[in-house]
Each structure stands twice: as C-alpha cells, then as structure tokens.
Amino acid sequence: MGTTTEHQQPSTSRGTIAFRAMSCCAILSIGVFSNLPINLQDSAASVSQSLRGGSSTAKPTTMFVLPANETDYAGFHDNETNKDEIALDFYVAGFPKCGTTTLLRTFAQHEETVVPSMEECSLDVVFQDDYAYTRLQQNLKEATNRTDPNLKRGIKCPFGLTTAKGIERLEDWFPSTKLIFGVRHPVFFFQSFYNYRILEVNQGKQQGPIPSPESLIGSVDWIRVSTDNARFERVLAKLGKTAASKEPSTPFKVFLYTLEQMEDDDEERGAQLRKTLGDFLDLKKPIEPLEASNINTYVGNKGFPETIDICDTKHDALRNVLVENGKKTQEWILNEFIKSPDVTVANEIHFAKIISDWGFDPCN
C-alpha cells in the first residue's frame, strides 16, 4: 500500500563504508551517470558483491555528508527530523524502448498513482547508499502529496536493476515493491535503441563517435546498446524466480508485458492487459488506453546518415546473432520465468505466441 511508513533504511554494511572511502570517485549527477555504459556501473556493483554477507537494516547513526553542490538534501536523512518516509510501491524497471515512458505518463495521469516526471535511477547508479536513498526519497516527496495514504508511489528507470547493488538496495529498503518489465523482439529492440542513441547524439544529448551496429555484437556496448543487452533474461534472472536459478530468491512480484501487447489494436486484449496490470498494482479504478510516448520519428526518409534499417542485408550477421539469442531468451521466459508464482503476464496464450517469434528473423 502506498503509505507514509517507517520502513527499512539504508544499511551501513554491504559495501557502504567501502564506497565512502573511494574519495577519488566523485558523485556525478544522476542524469549524466545513468548514461554511462553498463560495464562501468557493474564495476561499482562488483565491489558491493564482494562484500556481500549479512544484511543489516539498522538505521544510520550519523548523517551522510553530502557534496557541496547537493546542499539541498542536507538534513533530509537526519532521522531525528524525518521520522516518516515514503515507501516505493512499484518500479518500472525495464527495458528501454519497450513502452516504459508510456507507462510513466499513464501512471502520472492515473488518480491512484504518482511518479516523478523524470527517470529516477538512484537505486542502481549512485555509489553511496545514504545519498542514493536520500535522493530517491526527495524525488518521491517532490512528486506526491505524502499525506495521502491511498496513493501508489512509483518510479521508472529502464535497465534499472542491472547490478547486484541495485537489487540489494531495493530488497533492503523496499522489499514489497512490485516490478514492471516490458520486452520486445530483440531485433527491433536493438534497432530502436541504436537509432534512439543516434537521435540523442544529433540533439547534443550524447557524445560521439558513433560505432557501427556490427561492432556492438557481444558484450561491448555503446551507451548500453549491444546484442548482449537484448538478452533480457540476463537481468530477469537476477531476481531468482526460477527453480534452476543460481541467484538468491528476491521477494519482488513481477509484471511482464511485451511492447506488442501494449500496441495491440485488439480492444479486448488491450483491455485485458490494462486490467491485469491494474489488478497487479491493486488499483481500484481502471487504467485508460495506453498512448505511445517518446517515439523516435527520425527514421526512414527522416533519419540521420547513421540511422539504420536493421532489415538491410548488410545487417544479416547482426540479426542472426539477435535471433539466435532471442530463441534462448523466449525459451527461458516461457519455460522457466513465467512459471514462477511471483510473475504475472496478461493473456498468457497471446503473450507466448508473441515472444515465440523471437526465434525467427522478422525481416524474412
């Protein structure tokens, strides 16, 4: 329930001290840091992972000393003056170019849900635990009337739980949070994500040089674009929801949908998707029809010189890798992941039909 509650607080174990000691690592603004390649974020998480052991939920005994340019947050995490804090009810945690902005705007307009207007990625990308928690609480408070006990509070961050650190924090601080993940055919996921980065470079939001799409086959990524990052199971498996999982089980309930379900012209199936999502979040009022948001119109004849049509024959090798990986991903999702009682999908038969196509080249 979206209540103002006294819940579990950041731990001063699980790597916090180690991160505080890294004085050479200045805290970057979240807008910049969230765009770093995934391997840089994982380097931070690897330190945390090496220190995993007992989990402490004790409240900090001292205030975290914030950087000089973050004085707006000073005193916020002083428990003598902030005895009640906001719970996180749901988290749109993935994946990019899979309708997450559409959900963000939908929840912003729904009477029973509130979300910050921008992506909130503190859980996964900020080094210091106290600062990550403080920033998240501040953004939740700015987004909502904290005195209303009936509102569901949520955030959106695509690729939001890619590191062990992010999952540890969420489990320690908000173990009741419900997770929402969107997926799509890996071939079109790669094309959309790559072309969106092209758009951002041309808008001055990202820096070049622009690599060829073929250079991103495998684990080498460009601002998180790579064929490996189209393997959605690599993130979903971290939740420990399958019998064969090597990851520890997490307490989170998961809602999984496909972009194709979100864009379905069939009114009955669309209504079923929205109802299932509303029931998953315990909403009393229905979710209105979803309107696509954040669409890249700079494609085709309007595209930039670097914009790709992934169905061009010159990208055959790239598609082959994405399809080969996609077959493994859809088999894992259908045969293992959605079998968990913690995972919800809408219209499982139609969902399965959609992702079964991932093992085939959509351009042929």
Side-chain angles (χ1 to χ4, degrees):
M1 193 72 172
T3 58
T4 301
T5 182
E6 188 169 325
H7 58 277
Q8 294 177 345
Q9 305 262 333
S11 165
T12 52
S13 62
R14 302 175 78 100
T16 305
I17 296 175
F19 281 107
R20 288 178 178 173
M22 296 170 64
S23 58
C24 62
C25 299
I27 298 177
L28 304 179
S29 70
I30 190 69
V32 174
F33 196 93
S34 62
N35 287 323
L36 286 178
I38 191 171
N39 58 315
L40 293 185
Q41 295 186 29
D42 283 342
S43 66
S46 65
V47 177
S48 171
Q49 181 70 16
S50 68
L51 294 171
R52 289 186 73 167
S55 174
S56 169
T57 56
K59 296 181 179 180
T61 57
T62 59
M63 282 183 55
F64 173 67
V65 180
L66 296 173
N69 63 342
E70 298 290 351
T71 53
D72 288 345
Y73 298 110
F76 179 80
H77 202 175
D78 179 355
N79 291 299
E80 292 303 313
T81 58
N82 298 276
K83 297 182 183 299
D84 52 343
E85 296 177 338
I86 296 177
L88 181 65
D89 296 293
F90 64 93
Y91 187 180
V92 182
F95 288 92
K97 314 313 298 174
C98 293
T100 57
T101 300
T102 295
L103 287 181
L104 181 72
R105 295 180 179 176
T106 298
F107 291 135
Q109 296 170 2
H110 197 280
E111 293 182 21
E112 298 173 60
T113 57
V114 290
V115 290
S117 60
M118 304 296 289
E119 292 182 0
E120 165 49 64
C121 297
S122 300
L123 279 169
D124 205 46
V125 301
V126 177
F127 280 136
Q128 284 83 354
D129 285 350
D130 286 0
Y131 177 62
Y133 185 83
T134 296
R135 187 181 187 108
L136 175 56
Q137 283 289 316
Q138 181 73 11
N139 286 337
L140 286 171
K141 288 185 178 182
E142 289 176 353
T144 180
N145 174 8
R146 61 183 297 181
T147 62
D148 187 342
N150 298 312
L151 292 175
K152 305 288 185 183
R153 278 85 171 182
I155 59 173
K156 169 223 174 182
C157 182
F159 275 126
L161 293 176
T162 56
T163 67
K165 187 68 172 177
I167 294 174
E168 286 174 11
R169 285 171 170 170
L170 191 64
E171 189 169 0
D172 282 351
W173 306 343
F174 307 108
S176 298
T177 298
K178 295 181 177 181
L179 306 180
I180 302 172
F181 287 94
V183 295
R184 68 189 296 186
H185 197 297
V187 168
F188 293 129
F189 167 80
F190 184 97
Q191 173 182 258
S192 181
F193 202 11
Y194 183 87
N195 285 342
Y196 188 72
R197 292 307 192 202
I198 297 295
L199 172 63
E200 289 185 317
V201 169
N202 282 275
Q203 291 178 333
K205 296 178 180 179
Q206 297 287 355
Q207 300 295 318
I210 298 171
S212 71
E214 279 65 32
S215 71
L216 303 176
I217 293 176
S219 60
V220 176
D221 70 280
W222 174 51
I223 325 175
R224 297 195 174 196
V225 181
S226 73
T227 58
D228 272 10
N229 282 342
R231 297 176 61 184
F232 307 120
E233 77 275 19
R234 297 181 71 199
V235 173
L236 298 176
K238 295 178 185 292
L239 302 176
K241 296 301 179 184
T242 66
S245 177
K246 297 179 181 179
E247 301 289 342
S249 178
T250 60
F252 312 116
K253 304 294 183 182
V254 180
F255 183 87
L256 184 67
Y257 70 92
T258 71
L259 182 65
E260 292 84 355
Q261 285 181 298
M262 183 178 284
E263 297 178 341
D264 195 343
D265 291 331
D266 187 291
E267 293 184 5
E268 184 176 347
R269 289 197 298 255
Q272 186 175 0
L273 172 67
R274 300 193 304 274
K275 183 180 186 308
T276 307
L277 177 57
D279 291 345
F280 175 76
L281 294 176
D282 298 320
L283 302 181
K284 297 179 180 178
K285 295 186 178 181
I287 296 175
E288 295 297 319
L290 305 172
E291 298 182 7
S293 301
N294 200 25
I295 299 174
N296 180 9
T297 59
Y298 292 90
V299 295
N301 293 334
K302 297 181 180 179
F304 301 101
E306 304 89 351
T307 301
I308 66 168
D309 177 352
I310 203 165
C311 289
D312 286 346
T313 56
K314 63 183 178 181
H315 300 310
D316 284 354
L318 172 63
R319 290 200 315 278
N320 288 341
V321 172
L322 290 165
V323 168
E324 182 180 351
N325 289 341
K327 185 176 187 298
K328 298 174 183 177
T329 299
Q330 63 91 10
E331 288 176 348
W332 180 85
I333 290 175
L334 291 179
N335 297 331
E336 298 187 53
F337 190 63
I338 67 171
K339 301 301 183 183
S340 168
D342 288 344
V343 178
T344 298
V345 298
N347 194 337
E348 184 173 335
I349 294 176
H350 187 236
F351 175 90
K353 181 179 179 181
I354 291 171
I355 73 167
S356 292
D357 287 342
W358 291 4
F360 302 94
D361 188 341
C363 300
N364 294 329

